[in-house]
Amino acid sequence: MLFQVRMDVNLPAAMPAAEADAIKLKEKAYSHQLQESGKWRHIWRIAGQYANVSVFDVDSVEELHTLLTGLPLFPFMQIQVTPLCRHPSSIRSTDQ
């Protein structure tokens, strides 16, 4: 199952820089792990914002929820999830 996920991050202004840096390092490691596993298929930064648009390839909505809530930055995110399916006019038969 493919899902488009928009994540907007809003760290508290009062958060110490060292704490923010530590969370960001954990986030990067976790996202790399998910990308290497194929679960986090694509990630794009939204220019000029602390936000991204990603595509996840998971077995269920529950799996997506578990992966997203496992993000170290999850408590500081606004997340929008959109289910995706293959368009009949797509020339890419490998995207399901």
Side-chain angles (χ1 to χ4, degrees):
M1 300 175 74
L2 297 178
F3 293 90
Q4 174 190 300
V5 180
R6 178 181 171 135
M7 296 176 241
D8 292 84
V9 181
N10 186 19
L11 293 175
M15 179 180 281
E19 183 180 346
D21 290 344
I23 291 172
K24 290 175 193 177
L25 281 175
K26 289 180 186 175
E27 181 85 10
K28 186 174 186 177
Y30 183 60
S31 74
H32 284 185
Q33 175 189 4
L34 293 176
Q35 289 175 67
E36 289 167 3
S37 75
K39 296 295 181 179
W40 195 331
R41 195 187 280 193
H42 300 284
I43 181 170
W44 295 276
R45 172 171 280 153
I46 299 174
Q49 300 177 34
Y50 193 175
N52 74 74
V53 173
S54 296
V55 175
F56 284 80
D57 188 354
V58 294
D59 296 327
S60 66
V61 175
E62 291 79 13
E63 181 182 17
L64 179 64
H65 179 76
T66 298
L67 297 178
L68 294 176
T69 57
L71 291 166
L73 287 171
F74 177 78
F76 310 104
M77 290 181 172
Q78 290 283 350
I79 297 177
Q80 297 174 334
V81 176
T82 305
L84 301 173
C85 60
R86 187 175 181 280
H87 194 283
S89 295
S90 175
I91 64 170
R92 303 200 193 296
S93 61
T94 58
D95 278 343
Q96 310 257 348

